[in-house]
């Protein structure tokens, strides 16, 4: 055990889960962003939280519409998912650019991304300011997915994304 | 895409990162618990959050002493880490029972577990009630670890823990 700088310590926590979060922007247009800072919080009621930077385009939309959908993308969506992390919704229709397909959600107005492993439709129930990020806590009001695709994406510190299944089998994505 | 029950949807999000969180109990005795519901929140200041059930023994201790340490255990600690998730600190010295070794932390009074991949010493700066859990947000005040052990543990839904490195190589733990 040696002392580490915070950056080096955080590097050691990779790989991280990589999700896509959809929201509506202030004009009601769907947007998507890549989010690794996500976790479940209680079982009952089922809640999840995401931490989103104040300057991100999605931040304003989630605060305004109080809804979002958290998706665990499938292996086939790796390239599109990765691109979502490199573009901003401010610069045009990111979802169209990266080639993701949207479908109506069951409950919320924010659309769901098709073909993902699993999607959680969330209604914002509380939020907490943490430095330059806001933790948005959402109640899961509907879920959908593909149970036969029990794998999703992890972000390494420096080697891109890989898909990992529940048997620990990983495959890097081109 | 099909509708899913929340339980089935959450199952599809596995594997999850598996961390160990140390704290002091109300008597000042160190305790440890297994936590999967953990994530980083902002870069600046460096913050992390953990979601802990109200009934957990560690919950009272963290609320009382306002400090905790989040550890990413190494492959060699898998068995002890797993046991931590099955025992309660109410029933005696869990740390001793599972065979983990403690060392003094750099800044906080809560001790650090030796031989982990990386440890984050945290001072509680805020908390948020989310149903039957509390989200504890900690400022990372010191970090330590073993940069040559860039792998840590993931919890599957039904197959125990596996260790995963940054190259996507996974190995199930006995």
């Amino acid at each position: 055990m040696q002392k580490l700088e915070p950056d080096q310590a955080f590097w050691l926590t990779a790989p991280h889960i990589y999700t896509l979060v959809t929201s509506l922007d202030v004009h009601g247009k769907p947007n998507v962003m890549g989010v690794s800072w996500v976790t479940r919080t209680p079982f009952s009621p089922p809640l999840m939280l995401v931490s989103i930077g104040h300057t991100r385009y999605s931040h304003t939309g989630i605060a305004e519409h109080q809804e979002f959908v958290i998706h665990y993308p499938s292996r086939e969506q790796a390239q599109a998912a990765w691109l979502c992390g490199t573009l901003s919704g401010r610069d045009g229709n990111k979802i169209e650019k990266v080639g993701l397909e949207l479908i109506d959600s069951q409950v919320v107005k924010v659309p769901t991304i098709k073909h993902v492993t699993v999607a959680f439709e969330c209604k914002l129930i509380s939020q907490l300011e943490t430095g330059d990020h806001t933790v948005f806590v959402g109640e899961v009001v509907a879920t959908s997915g593909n149970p036969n695709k029990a794998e999703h994406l992890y972000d390494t510190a420096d080697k891109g994304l890989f898909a990992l299944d529940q048997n620990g089998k990983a495959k890097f994505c081109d």
Side-chain angles (χ1 to χ4, degrees), chain A:
Chain A
M1 297 281 280
Q2 63 188 68
K3 284 185 190 179
L4 299 175
E5 292 300 313
D7 280 355
Q8 189 181 15
F10 283 119
W11 182 83
L12 282 169
T13 67
H16 306 119
I17 186 67
Y18 186 85
T19 70
L20 293 177
V21 174
T22 51
S23 55
L24 297 177
D25 73 7
V26 289
H27 310 294
K29 181 174 70 76
N31 187 34
V32 61
M33 70 178 288
V35 175
S36 284
W37 299 355
V38 56
T39 187
R40 193 172 172 180
T41 177
F43 289 111
S44 175
L47 305 181
M48 294 186 79
L49 63 81
V50 290
S51 175
I52 296 180
H54 291 165
T55 61
R56 301 298 296 264
Y57 189 62
S58 297
H59 188 283
T60 317
I62 293 173
E64 165 98 9
H65 296 283
Q66 313 240 317
E67 290 182 347
F68 53 95
V69 183
I70 303 172
H71 309 76
Y72 288 65
S74 62
R75 179 190 300 199
E76 295 77 14
Q77 295 174 311
Q79 196 176 23
W82 184 252
L83 281 171
C84 287
T86 65
L87 301 169
S88 170
R90 286 190 187 89
D91 305 325
N93 191 329
K94 194 201 288 194
I95 295 169
E96 199 171 276
K97 273 186 193 167
V98 304
L100 290 172
E101 194 177 338
L102 299 178
I103 52 176
D104 286 343
S105 292
Q106 299 171 66
V107 175
V108 301
K109 287 183 192 153
V110 177
T112 290
I113 299 169
K114 203 173 175 182
H115 303 308
V116 297
T117 301
V118 57
F120 297 89
E121 298 178 27
C122 296
K123 288 200 174 193
L124 185 67
I125 61 160
S126 62
Q127 62 192 74
L128 179 68
E129 294 308 307
T130 56
D132 56 11
H133 280 55
T134 301
V135 174
F136 291 110
V137 181
E139 178 166 357
V140 177
V141 292
T143 53
S144 60
N146 290 301
N148 58 331
K149 282 192 193 176
E151 61 175 14
H152 35 73
L153 303 180
Y154 286 79
D155 184 12
T156 61
D158 52 5
K159 299 182 187 72
L161 298 175
F162 63 79
L164 184 71
D165 69 15
Q166 303 222 357
N167 296 312
K169 292 230 172 356
K171 186 179 173 187
F172 270 88
C173 308
D174 296 330

